[in-house]
Amino acid sequence: MRPVIPYVTAALLFGLGVYGVLRRRNAVLVLMSVELMLNAVNLILVTADTTAKAVLPHGGQVFALFVIVLAAAEIGVGLAIVLQLYRMRASVAVDEIPLTEQHAAEPVAATTVGQASRAVGSEPEGPR
């Protein structure tokens, strides 16, 4: 068997998946692109298993099965995150996700813990 066609197909699938991850704004489409990349890896593993005689029999197929299990877990966690994101923001656009934590009103001139706690009106912490 000539492995050129499956390798080229896997490379095209992987490239399409990378393009989808880098260019899409919708989180669901990003997850679909990651799945496309994982399926390209599965195609490479199975093709390499059938063309190269390895020490372990059917080693590529076993690894492909592990990749399928990993993809199922990734989709479960990823969709849970996307659903929570939609509930909180009413959008699943990846560009709108804040990557840094924004604090509310913090005292600006406070330099020590005692001054900061007095600035917000609570008792300073210390031994009692």
Side-chain angles (χ1 to χ4, degrees), residues 38-39 41-42 45 62-72:
L38 289 173
N39 285 330
V41 170
N42 282 341
L45 286 171
V62 172
F63 281 127
L65 183 64
F66 284 129
V67 170
I68 291 171
V69 169
L70 177 76

Side-chain angles (χ1 to χ4, degrees), residues 36-55:
L36 198 60
M37 291 190 302
L38 289 173
N39 285 330
V41 170
N42 282 341
L43 183 59
I44 288 175
L45 286 171
V46 171
T47 304
D49 184 45
T50 58
T51 57
K53 300 299 178 196
V55 177

